Amino acid sequence: MNYYADVHRTRRNGEGFRITFTTDGVSFRHVDSFADVPAREGDAVFVDALPLQHTDGVIELLRRGVEVYYLRRLTLISRKREELRLPKTARGDVKALMAIEQKWFRRVTEDFLVMRRMVVTYRSLMGTHQQFTNKYRAVSEEERRVLRPVVKALEEQMCELAERIAEEAGRRYPAYNRLVEELGIKSLAGKEALAELVVYLDPSKGFRKTTSLVGLFKPVRGKKIYSRHLRKTLQRLTASVNGVRPARLTARLEEKTLFKVWTILRWEARGRLAVPAQG
């Protein structure tokens, strides 16, 4: 049986999330956790988004033997809703979700969910660190004395979390340790960036689609849709692997690094023991 669910914020300060789901598009139910969705082994749950707050609930579903899929592009909901002239409500969004082809959904695993939660936390720390670093550079020496311990504490937390991410990635993704060795990565920051790419890249996709995902486009007109987070991650990894400053990175160098990561991931996924020689 297939379940279709829409996750939306509650009206109570907009802090919590509510899940509206259905199996037939006629009868709807509401729950506060994915663990309360009555799906059983062999069932599948299709959802528009997976907020970090619901990670544990989704993991519980997976451990029951339920397959869980999330929508790759949220913009498809509004398009389908307009196409079918559905109301902008939770029920309308669920009906729109039911009409979207399954190729637009990605199946999740416990490994992905656990790693995603750690990676997003690292991104948050990195962003906060950058904000305080910018302030530190802009203020007087007296104010810097106040900010210095904060910046140092954030750097320590980032190093600690990056180490945990690298260890967890090595345990959950067989290709990760091989990539670290093949790319010659020594720094924790480089290992964290590699872990993030390994988590989000899909080795079943061709290299052209993979380059599009991270924004390595050929010059084209129109709006470009890609993951800015992953592009920045690729840039951090490329800088670490090649020992260059971010300001000296080139798209060609980034593509070369990405190709090596993608190749090893793809061959590992196919159960190969060696990477083909590259000319």
Side-chain angles (χ1 to χ4, degrees):
M1 181 181 293
N2 289 344
Y3 289 78
Y4 299 88
D6 173 73
V7 183
H8 50 277
R9 291 187 180 276
T10 62
R11 294 182 180 179
R12 294 173 293 181
N13 300 323
E15 296 178 354
F17 290 92
R18 187 80 164 161
I19 302 166
T20 299
F21 71 91
T22 184
T23 57
D24 55 12
V26 177
S27 177
F28 293 83
R29 290 180 56 185
H30 309 277
V31 292
D32 293 321
S33 169
F34 277 103
D36 297 327
V37 175
R40 296 179 293 181
E41 184 176 359
D43 292 340
V45 175
F46 295 86
V47 61
D48 59 340
L50 291 173
L52 290 182
Q53 293 90 328
H54 284 296
T55 298
D56 291 334
V58 176
I59 288 176
E60 184 171 331
L61 279 180
L62 294 174
R63 290 177 178 176
R64 281 189 224 158
V66 178
E67 295 180 1
V68 180
Y69 299 82
Y70 76 95
L71 192 60
R72 294 175 183 270
R73 292 184 185 175
L74 281 175
T75 53
L76 292 174
I77 290 284
S78 58
R79 289 184 193 173
K80 187 60 68 172
R81 192 175 56 226
E82 292 174 3
E83 178 185 325
L84 300 177
R85 298 183 179 180
L86 296 168
K88 194 175 181 181
T89 62
R91 293 190 179 194
D93 285 353
V94 173
K95 289 180 179 180
L97 194 73
M98 296 176 73
I100 296 174
E101 294 180 77
Q102 290 194 12
K103 70 177 183 178
W104 293 109
F105 292 86
R106 177 177 178 175
R107 185 176 177 180
V108 301
T109 63
E110 183 173 340
D111 292 336
F112 170 79
L113 293 170
V114 171
M115 291 300 300
R116 182 187 70 149
R117 182 161 53 186
M118 297 174 71
V119 163
V120 171
T121 302
Y122 184 86
R123 282 184 199 161
S124 178
L125 282 175
M126 191 166 54
T128 303
H129 175 265
Q130 187 61 56
Q131 290 176 6
F132 275 97
T133 300
N134 291 340
K135 291 178 181 177
Y136 179 86
R137 292 169 178 168
V139 298
S140 66
E141 183 58 36
E142 183 178 350
E143 293 163 323
R144 286 182 179 180
R145 282 198 295 269
V146 177
L147 291 177
R148 195 171 290 125
V150 179
V151 174
K152 185 177 180 181
L154 285 168
E155 289 173 348
E156 291 175 352
Q157 290 176 4
M158 287 171 63
C159 286
E160 181 181 337
L161 183 53
E163 188 171 0
R164 286 175 51 205
I165 289 172
E167 290 175 357
E168 198 70 22
R171 187 172 70 85
R172 294 178 179 274
Y173 295 91
Y176 177 79
N177 290 328
R178 182 175 181 178
L179 279 164
V180 170
E181 183 178 348
E182 291 280 346
L183 296 173
I185 303 173
K186 303 298 182 183
S187 70
L188 277 176
K191 291 178 180 179
E192 188 285 327
L194 173 62
E196 187 169 345
L197 282 179
V198 169
V199 169
Y200 284 97
L201 295 187
D202 184 350
S204 69
K205 302 297 182 183
F207 187 63
R208 183 175 179 180
K209 287 188 176 181
T210 302
T211 56
S212 295
L213 175 65
V214 299
L216 289 171
F217 300 96
K218 291 183 178 180
V220 293
R221 293 182 179 180
K223 187 176 181 181
K224 300 177 181 178
I225 300 175
Y226 67 97
S227 171
R228 288 175 172 78
H229 286 304
L230 285 187
R231 181 59 182 273
K232 291 179 180 178
T233 301
L234 174 61
Q235 290 171 342
R236 298 202 315 272
L237 176 63
T238 304
S240 175
V241 169
N242 295 278
V244 298
R245 295 180 179 179
R248 301 195 65 180
L249 287 175
T250 64
R252 186 178 296 276
L253 196 57
E254 291 174 41
E255 185 174 357
K256 183 179 178 181
T257 302
L258 181 64
F259 181 76
K260 192 159 192 177
V261 173
W262 173 82
T263 301
I264 294 176
L265 283 176
R266 195 172 177 86
W267 279 73
E268 285 286 348
R270 293 178 174 180
R272 302 298 180 93
L273 298 177
V275 179
Q278 298 176 26

